[in-house]
């Protein structure tokens, strides 16, 4: 293995409190500077995780000395729900809970219940999903479904037990995650999606076994290109296996044809098996930028809003929700919160993946980027 340098970074990043505009804001949901609406909200509920996936929370950094956030710094369920209500008013229709490992947050089903009770202007509940490493899913799937969760995405990087234990780096067995997936299917959290991050030379030999395991099961397997998120995973371009090669490898054995996207802004390109054994997806975050349609905002566990997975700066929504005595700030009303968030979204021009190969992308890369375990996938 080649040497790599892992910069030590603090995961609590630069942020500012978004100003509340004095002028009245339009009541229609805002578009950003690239005319993109706000549709998806990813809420990270904890920065802790029981795995140490080498590409996300490498053990060398996230060790015993690492300082995770204090519970008092996390948004409460009431604060998350209040923010979500305002985001729904700004156009959000889909909420994904993530982390860290979201199922480590105590009583998460209570938050699911509270979010499920929210209503869009059309009177519907927002679509509610969760991304999890699956380790606690066998125990929690039923409760989550009963609380109003619609679907789950389970991350699983290998079917081979030895390879999987190496990737999660805490010796966690694959059988337990498969049990979680079965429990999610039994509870009706369907269609279950499985995310596999592909790292060339680490788990690319698992592409075909994974495809064959989930073919015909109703589970939608999605292959994610290994991304240069954060600063701690020692990312290198030569470890990215382009999605086209994933498709080619599977197609050579089980022929595939492309499918139309379900909706604009969808991250995965869909493919179906010619023999009717279901579909797979590829998320080509590196080789095929999908910024043009990116309609996602991310709220961290301590209430910082990020407009891009590769953002260098967050907006301190918690200071608006809770006030900040040290900064002389009082909590704001829902109307002011809406106005502040609408203005933040309307000024967004983030498009890191489109810029990755350019000088502007290089400049962004040199600035501090948030870790995946802090804002979720
Ligand atoms: N702990 C949960 C899990 O693993 O599903 C939720 C949080 S995790 C940060 C969300 C997703 O990000 C997972 O599917 C994970 O595989 C993916 N991910 C993390 N680091 C990544 C990277 N460097 N490139 C691509 N995907 C990554
Ligand atoms: Fe934990 Fe998910 Fe990151 Fe793995 S990918 S270390 S399970 S947060
Ligand atoms: Fe969206 Fe940023 Fe990813 Fe582009 S790089 S798709 S703007 S999160």
């Amino acid at each position: 293995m080649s040497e790599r340098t892992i910069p030590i970074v603090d995961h609590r990043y630069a942020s500012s409190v978004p100003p509340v505009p004095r002028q009245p804001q339009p009541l229609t949901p805002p578009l950003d500077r690239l005319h993109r609406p706000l549709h998806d909200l990813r809420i990270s509920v904890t920065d802790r995780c029981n795995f140490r996936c080498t590409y996300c929370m490498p053990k060398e950094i996230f060790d015993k000395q690492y300082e995770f956030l204090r519970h008092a710094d996390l948004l409460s369920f009431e604060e998350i729900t209040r923010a979500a209500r305002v985001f729904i008013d700004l156009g959000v229709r889909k909420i994904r809970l993530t982390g860290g490992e979201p199922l480590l947050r105590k009583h998460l089903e209570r938050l699911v219940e509270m979010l499920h009770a929210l209503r869009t202007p059309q009177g519907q509940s927002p679509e509610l999903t969760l991304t999890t490493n699956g380790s606690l899913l066998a125990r929690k799937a039923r409760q989550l479904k009963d609380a109003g969760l619609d679907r789950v995405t389970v991350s699983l990087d290998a079917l081979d037990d030895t390879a999987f234990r190496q990737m999660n780096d805490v010796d966690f067995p694959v059988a337990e995650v498969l049990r979680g997936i079965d429990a999610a299917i039994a509870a009706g959290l369907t269609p279950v999606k499985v995310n596999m991050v592909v790292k060339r030379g680490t788990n690319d030999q698992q592409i075909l076994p994974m495809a064959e395991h989930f073919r015909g099961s109703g589970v939608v397997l999605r292959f994610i290109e290994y991304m240069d998120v954060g600063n701690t995973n020692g990312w290198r371009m030569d470890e990215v296996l382009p999605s086209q090669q994933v498709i080619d490898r599977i197609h050579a054995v089980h022929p595939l044809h492309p499918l139309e996207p379900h909706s604009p802004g969808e991250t995965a390109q869909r493919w179906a098996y010619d023999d009717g054994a279901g579909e797979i997806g590829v998320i080509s975050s590196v080789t095929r930028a999908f910024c043009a349609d990116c309609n996602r905002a991310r709220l961290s566990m301590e209430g910082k809003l990020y407009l891009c997975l590769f953002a260098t700066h967050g907006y301190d929504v918690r200071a608006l929700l809770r006030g900040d005595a040290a900064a002389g700030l009082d909590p704001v009303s829902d109307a002011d919160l809406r106005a502040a968030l609408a203005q933040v979204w309307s000024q967004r021009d983030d498009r890191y993946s489109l810029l990755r190969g350019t000088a502007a992308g290089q400049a962004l890369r040199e600035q501090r980027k948030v870790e995946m375990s802090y804002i979720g996938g």
Side-chain angles (χ1 to χ4, degrees), residues 246-313:
V246 173
I247 295 298
D248 292 347
R249 287 190 197 184
I250 300 172
H251 179 75
V253 187
H254 302 289
L256 293 162
H257 58 272
L259 293 176
E260 288 299 313
H262 281 305
S263 58
E266 196 167 65
T267 50
Q269 287 172 286
R270 303 167 60 215
W271 293 78
Y273 291 108
D274 289 356
D275 64 3
E279 69 174 84
I280 60 168
V282 287
I283 302 182
S284 317
S285 333
V286 179
T287 60
R288 188 189 142 272
F290 37 77
C291 305
D293 291 325
C294 180
N295 53 22
R296 289 174 290 284
R298 295 172 161 87
L299 188 64
S300 80
M301 63 293 298
E302 56 175 343
K304 290 189 186 153
L305 176 68
Y306 290 91
L307 304 181
C308 175
L309 202 44
F310 300 89
T312 53
H313 182 92

